[in-house]
Amino acid sequence: MSDDYILETQGLVKEFKGFVAVNDVSLKVRRGQIHALIGPNGAGKTTCFNLLTKFIEPTKGTIRYCGVDITGEAPAQIARRGIVRSFQISAVFPHLTVLENVRIALQRKLGNSFHFWRSDRTLGRLDARVDELLAEVGLGDYQRMVAVELPYGRKRALEIATTLALDPELMLLDEPTQGMGHEDVARVMALIKKVAANRTILMVEHNMKVVAGISDTITVLARGAVLAEGPYADVAKNPQVIEAYMGTEGAADPSLSAEAVPSEGPPRAGAAYDTEPRRGEPPSPLPVGRGPGGGP
């Protein structure tokens, strides 16, 4: 593995009782870049994230991080190596303050992550770093606010702050702008660019304006396999990518603009069905097709 690449997979496969959710994915994430993983609903993006962070085990293939094979490691080991992820649904402690959320993430460095009964005086040594992290994500004025009262976009910023508290070398962001209004999307885009200055980011994102605006490299998945890879300008002109998003009619358009692709919501007619299984659910019995009644 080249030192230029912080994360690399080779022949990654995940099968669910015969359904292939991820099919021979070989991915290279260059150190210091923002790398976007995109594709129609059911393309295998979140399953890929779950494989990379070992929330699920691959059926075949290898995962290497900084040149080390981590395929057999547990999620906690992966996180300690410096790979930290966020989730589609904001994951913060809703009834703790913004400051307390970040301070809990920092407690790991003290070796007392689960000592929630410690006094504020004991944990006060962490407050300077809490201040730095909250200032970095634009939450310096929200320290005493209970997390549940934050606007949605600010909650995502808080989640990024707790992620940064673990000093990740590689951040995996799963749909960081999902469900946001335009103002929050712009704020989170700027935040992602800011925190990417000293680390690598791999993100799943449906909003093509976000992808076009901040990504260095894009990998397109369709039906669990890599369809295309490269900078946005190249990927946007790829006829196979256009067809995957827009169907055969859309493929007649010479380019895939950020405005043309739906930023959220269900796929348009002609896009792949959402067959990717959720946690605790069996794979969908529907075949991967081309719209209602479409063929393979």
Side-chain angles (χ1 to χ4, degrees):
M1 179 176 176
S2 169
D3 290 341
D4 291 341
Y5 297 105
I6 189 170
L7 182 71
E8 184 176 355
T9 70
Q10 292 182 336
L12 207 58
V13 174
K14 181 59 185 178
E15 297 179 0
F16 294 93
K17 296 183 179 179
F19 171 75
V20 182
V22 173
N23 187 12
D24 195 26
V25 169
S26 294
L27 182 70
K28 290 184 177 181
V29 179
R30 192 176 293 274
R31 192 180 300 274
Q33 285 198 347
I34 299 176
H35 192 125
L37 196 61
I38 70 170
N41 288 350
K45 304 179 296 297
T46 296
T47 300
C48 245
F49 257 38
N50 288 335
L51 289 170
L52 294 175
T53 50
K54 299 308 301 298
F55 279 77
I56 56 176
E57 292 289 333
T59 306
K60 299 177 186 176
T62 59
I63 306 166
R64 299 184 71 84
Y65 173 69
C66 294
V68 178
D69 189 337
I70 61 170
T71 313
E73 295 190 356
Q77 293 174 290
I78 300 291
R80 292 189 191 104
R81 285 189 178 276
I83 305 175
V84 182
R85 72 171 288 183
S86 70
F87 294 83
Q88 291 181 16
I89 299 173
S90 182
V92 298
F93 294 104
H95 300 297
L96 296 182
T97 66
V98 169
L99 181 149
E100 289 167 340
N101 267 274
V102 178
R103 195 163 62 185
I104 284 175
L106 288 170
Q107 279 183 239
R108 183 176 69 89
K109 294 182 178 180
L110 300 181
N112 57 4
S113 302
F114 300 103
H115 294 184
F116 299 113
W117 57 87
R118 290 294 182 95
S119 69
D120 283 348
R121 183 176 59 186
T122 303
L123 299 176
R125 73 184 89 170
L126 300 174
D127 287 352
R129 180 57 179 154
V130 172
D131 290 343
E132 292 174 4
L133 289 168
L134 291 178
E136 187 171 359
V137 301
L139 293 177
D141 296 332
Y142 295 82
Q143 288 196 18
R144 300 298 172 182
M145 182 176 285
V146 178
V148 73
E149 298 175 358
L150 289 171
Y152 184 69
R154 301 286 185 185
K155 284 181 184 175
R156 297 298 280 189
L158 175 57
E159 186 174 4
I160 290 175
T162 60
T163 302
L164 291 174
L166 301 176
D167 289 329
E169 192 173 357
L170 172 62
M171 291 177 66
L172 278 66
L173 305 179
D174 197 354
E175 299 190 32
T177 66
Q178 183 184 40
M180 292 185 185
H182 294 300
E183 183 178 338
D184 283 337
V185 168
R187 183 184 296 116
V188 171
M189 279 181 66
L191 176 57
I192 292 172
K193 288 189 72 172
K194 182 178 180 181
V195 302
N198 301 310
R199 55 186 57 85
T200 307
I201 291 179
L202 176 63
M203 68 176 184
V204 167
E205 183 55 65
H206 281 295
N207 190 319
M208 289 299 106
K209 290 183 179 179
V210 175
V211 172
I214 65 175
S215 300
D216 299 300
T217 302
I218 299 165
T219 298
V220 185
L221 292 183
R223 303 184 182 187
V226 174
L227 186 63
E229 187 171 281
Y232 183 83
D234 294 343
V235 168
K237 297 175 183 177
N238 187 307
Q240 290 179 299
V241 175
I242 297 168
E243 182 177 350
Y245 270 101
M246 306 296 289
T248 53
E249 292 181 5
D253 192 323
S255 67
L256 182 67
S257 68
E259 290 76 14
V261 179
S263 60
E264 294 177 5
R268 300 187 182 191
Y273 288 133
D274 187 358
T275 57
E276 186 172 332
R278 273 102 174 145
R279 184 177 296 182
E281 295 181 2
S284 167
L286 291 174
V288 176
R290 290 290 176 197

